[in-house]
Amino acid sequence: MKHTFHLRAAKEEVFDYFIDVLLQDVLAYTGQKLSRSQLKEGFTYRKNLSNNPKKSRIATVRLTEFRYPEHYAVIYTRDDFRKRAVYDLSDERQGCRFVMRQQQEKKLRDESGALLWTVTESAEREEKPSLMTRLRMRAVVRQLRKRSKTAVVL
């Protein structure tokens, strides 16, 4: 699935915000306090993807691509499930364009019994963001306003 947002903020501000969220996530799940400069392609940690305390869903999160301030990608992997999230930012006349792509894959066996990954949700299918996604982006904008007083969702 693909969502595109237009923000009145510098792409560096938006990128920094999402990297800060990633660093907070690493701290919460591993206890490691990392700086932005310590994030490199290949960095990996484990986290619980479940909101249900009785049923944990532990996944390995791996930073696969990192180009400041315009692109990064992570892959969440569990035993039979993989999700790739890609975040791209580019300059626009009045701010930046923020594109989120998520592709979900499931592990299956082919006729010969070999394991393979099958795409269950394409990263290129553009769709209107859900209410929850729009609310999350509004929360991002509020956080950016607190930081710089310049970010606004168009």
Side-chain angles (χ1 to χ4, degrees):
M1 124 185 85
K2 177 179 170 185
H3 299 303
T4 302
F5 297 92
H6 303 276
L7 304 172
R8 286 189 187 167
K11 69 181 179 185
E12 292 83 4
E13 291 176 296
V14 177
F15 193 91
D16 288 345
Y17 175 83
F18 280 100
I19 294 304
D20 287 346
V21 169
L22 178 65
L23 291 172
Q24 289 171 9
D25 201 41
V26 170
L27 178 61
Y29 285 100
T30 69
Q32 289 180 285
K33 186 169 180 140
L34 301 176
S35 67
R36 290 180 191 164
S37 62
Q38 291 175 294
L39 282 181
K40 306 279 187 228
E41 291 180 10
F43 175 78
T44 303
Y45 69 102
R46 295 176 55 81
K47 75 179 274 183
N48 184 3
L49 299 177
S50 175
N51 291 329
N52 183 349
K54 294 181 181 180
K55 187 177 182 183
S56 63
R57 294 184 306 172
I58 304 299
T60 300
V61 181
R62 184 169 45 99
L63 184 64
T64 58
E65 301 168 29
F66 189 83
R67 287 191 317 274
Y68 183 85
E70 61 225 7
H71 175 84
Y72 80 97
V74 293
I75 293 179
Y76 302 85
T77 306
R78 290 192 338 247
D79 292 336
D80 64 342
F81 172 82
R82 182 166 63 187
K83 179 169 150 180
R84 184 169 193 259
V86 178
Y87 305 94
D88 288 303
L89 291 104
S90 57
D91 289 320
E92 286 191 341
R93 211 174 82 226
Q94 295 183 340
C96 74
R97 180 175 184 234
F98 177 64
V99 179
M100 296 188 313
R101 290 181 181 86
Q102 294 182 346
Q103 178 168 300
Q104 295 184 21
E105 301 173 348
K106 189 170 186 157
K107 193 183 286 186
L108 300 172
R109 293 192 181 271
D110 65 10
E111 298 81 32
S112 66
L115 288 174
L116 48 97
W117 288 97
T118 301
V119 173
T120 59
E121 188 173 315
S122 172
E124 293 306 315
R125 191 182 82 224
E126 181 90 38
E127 63 181 47
K128 182 178 177 183
S130 68
L131 175 61
M132 186 58 74
T133 302
R134 291 192 314 268
L135 290 173
R136 285 183 184 140
M137 285 307 294
R138 286 191 179 133
V140 169
V141 169
R142 281 194 301 276
Q143 293 297 319
L144 288 173
R145 280 185 183 150
K146 287 179 184 178
R147 290 180 176 191
S148 66
K149 307 285 185 198
T150 62
V152 177
V153 173
L154 297 177

Short mmCIF file of all heavy atoms in Angstrom, two decimals, residues 79-80 105-119:
data_model
loop_
_atom_site.label_atom_id
_atom_site.label_comp_id
_atom_site.label_asym_id
_atom_site.label_seq_id
_atom_site.Cartn_x
_atom_site.Cartn_y
_atom_site.Cartn_z
N ASP A 79 8.21 -15.38 11.82
CA ASP A 79 8.39 -16.71 11.22
C ASP A 79 7.79 -16.83 9.83
O ASP A 79 8.43 -17.31 8.91
CB ASP A 79 7.79 -17.79 12.12
CG ASP A 79 8.55 -17.93 13.42
OD1 ASP A 79 9.75 -17.58 13.44
OD2 ASP A 79 7.96 -18.38 14.40
N ASP A 80 6.54 -16.40 9.66
CA ASP A 80 5.86 -16.60 8.38
C ASP A 80 5.38 -15.31 7.75
O ASP A 80 4.57 -15.31 6.85
CB ASP A 80 4.68 -17.54 8.57
CG ASP A 80 3.62 -16.95 9.49
OD1 ASP A 80 3.94 -15.99 10.23
OD2 ASP A 80 2.48 -17.44 9.48
N GLU A 105 4.36 -9.60 2.93
CA GLU A 105 4.63 -10.87 2.29
C GLU A 105 4.38 -12.00 3.29
O GLU A 105 4.54 -11.81 4.49
CB GLU A 105 6.09 -10.95 1.83
CG GLU A 105 6.48 -9.87 0.85
CD GLU A 105 7.96 -9.85 0.53
OE1 GLU A 105 8.74 -10.53 1.24
OE2 GLU A 105 8.34 -9.17 -0.42
N LYS A 106 3.99 -13.13 2.77
CA LYS A 106 3.75 -14.29 3.60
C LYS A 106 4.58 -15.45 3.08
O LYS A 106 4.75 -15.60 1.88
CB LYS A 106 2.27 -14.66 3.57
CG LYS A 106 1.89 -15.71 4.55
CD LYS A 106 0.40 -15.86 4.65
CE LYS A 106 0.13 -16.84 5.78
NZ LYS A 106 -1.17 -16.71 6.33
N LYS A 107 5.11 -16.25 4.00
CA LYS A 107 5.94 -17.39 3.61
C LYS A 107 5.03 -18.56 3.25
O LYS A 107 4.16 -18.94 4.03
CB LYS A 107 6.87 -17.78 4.75
CG LYS A 107 7.97 -18.73 4.35
CD LYS A 107 8.83 -19.15 5.51
CE LYS A 107 9.76 -18.06 5.94
NZ LYS A 107 10.70 -18.50 6.99
N LEU A 108 5.22 -19.09 2.07
CA LEU A 108 4.46 -20.24 1.58
C LEU A 108 5.41 -21.29 1.03
O LEU A 108 6.60 -21.04 0.85
CB LEU A 108 3.50 -19.80 0.47
CG LEU A 108 2.45 -18.75 0.82
CD1 LEU A 108 1.72 -18.30 -0.43
CD2 LEU A 108 1.47 -19.29 1.84
N ARG A 109 4.87 -22.43 0.71
CA ARG A 109 5.66 -23.48 0.05
C ARG A 109 5.13 -23.67 -1.36
O ARG A 109 3.93 -23.65 -1.60
CB ARG A 109 5.55 -24.79 0.81
CG ARG A 109 6.19 -24.73 2.17
CD ARG A 109 6.33 -26.13 2.77
NE ARG A 109 6.93 -26.07 4.07
CZ ARG A 109 8.24 -26.10 4.31
NH1 ARG A 109 9.08 -26.23 3.31
NH2 ARG A 109 8.72 -26.02 5.53
N ASP A 110 6.06 -23.84 -2.31
CA ASP A 110 5.63 -24.10 -3.69
C ASP A 110 5.35 -25.60 -3.87
O ASP A 110 5.39 -26.36 -2.90
CB ASP A 110 6.66 -23.58 -4.70
CG ASP A 110 7.99 -24.30 -4.63
OD1 ASP A 110 8.09 -25.33 -3.94
OD2 ASP A 110 8.93 -23.83 -5.29
N GLU A 111 5.07 -26.02 -5.09
CA GLU A 111 4.71 -27.41 -5.37
C GLU A 111 5.80 -28.40 -4.95
O GLU A 111 5.54 -29.52 -4.55
CB GLU A 111 4.42 -27.62 -6.87
CG GLU A 111 3.25 -26.83 -7.40
CD GLU A 111 3.61 -25.39 -7.72
OE1 GLU A 111 4.75 -25.09 -8.11
OE2 GLU A 111 2.73 -24.54 -7.53
N SER A 112 7.05 -27.97 -5.03
CA SER A 112 8.16 -28.86 -4.67
C SER A 112 8.46 -28.85 -3.17
O SER A 112 9.32 -29.58 -2.71
CB SER A 112 9.42 -28.46 -5.45
OG SER A 112 9.86 -27.19 -5.03
N GLY A 113 7.75 -28.00 -2.43
CA GLY A 113 7.97 -27.92 -0.99
C GLY A 113 8.97 -26.87 -0.58
O GLY A 113 9.24 -26.70 0.61
N ALA A 114 9.53 -26.14 -1.53
CA ALA A 114 10.50 -25.10 -1.21
C ALA A 114 9.79 -23.87 -0.63
O ALA A 114 8.70 -23.51 -1.07
CB ALA A 114 11.27 -24.71 -2.46
N LEU A 115 10.43 -23.26 0.35
CA LEU A 115 9.87 -22.06 0.96
C LEU A 115 10.11 -20.85 0.07
O LEU A 115 11.18 -20.69 -0.52
CB LEU A 115 10.48 -21.81 2.33
CG LEU A 115 10.07 -22.75 3.44
CD1 LEU A 115 10.87 -22.48 4.70
CD2 LEU A 115 8.58 -22.61 3.74
N LEU A 116 9.10 -20.01 -0.03
CA LEU A 116 9.26 -18.76 -0.77
C LEU A 116 8.34 -17.71 -0.17
O LEU A 116 7.40 -18.01 0.55
CB LEU A 116 8.95 -18.97 -2.27
CG LEU A 116 7.67 -19.70 -2.63
CD1 LEU A 116 6.57 -18.73 -2.96
CD2 LEU A 116 7.98 -20.56 -3.84
N TRP A 117 8.66 -16.46 -0.45
CA TRP A 117 7.85 -15.34 0.04
C TRP A 117 6.90 -14.91 -1.07
O TRP A 117 7.30 -14.73 -2.21
CB TRP A 117 8.75 -14.16 0.43
CG TRP A 117 9.52 -14.40 1.69
CD1 TRP A 117 10.81 -14.83 1.78
CD2 TRP A 117 9.06 -14.25 3.02
NE1 TRP A 117 11.18 -14.95 3.09
CE2 TRP A 117 10.12 -14.59 3.88
CE3 TRP A 117 7.85 -13.86 3.59
CZ2 TRP A 117 10.02 -14.55 5.27
CZ3 TRP A 117 7.75 -13.81 4.97
CH2 TRP A 117 8.83 -14.16 5.79
N THR A 118 5.63 -14.72 -0.72
CA THR A 118 4.61 -14.29 -1.67
C THR A 118 4.03 -12.96 -1.21
O THR A 118 3.67 -12.80 -0.04
CB THR A 118 3.47 -15.33 -1.75
OG1 THR A 118 4.03 -16.57 -2.16
CG2 THR A 118 2.41 -14.90 -2.74
N VAL A 119 3.97 -12.01 -2.12
CA VAL A 119 3.42 -10.69 -1.80
C VAL A 119 1.92 -10.81 -1.57
O VAL A 119 1.20 -11.34 -2.40
CB VAL A 119 3.71 -9.68 -2.93
CG1 VAL A 119 3.01 -8.36 -2.68
CG2 VAL A 119 5.21 -9.49 -3.09
#
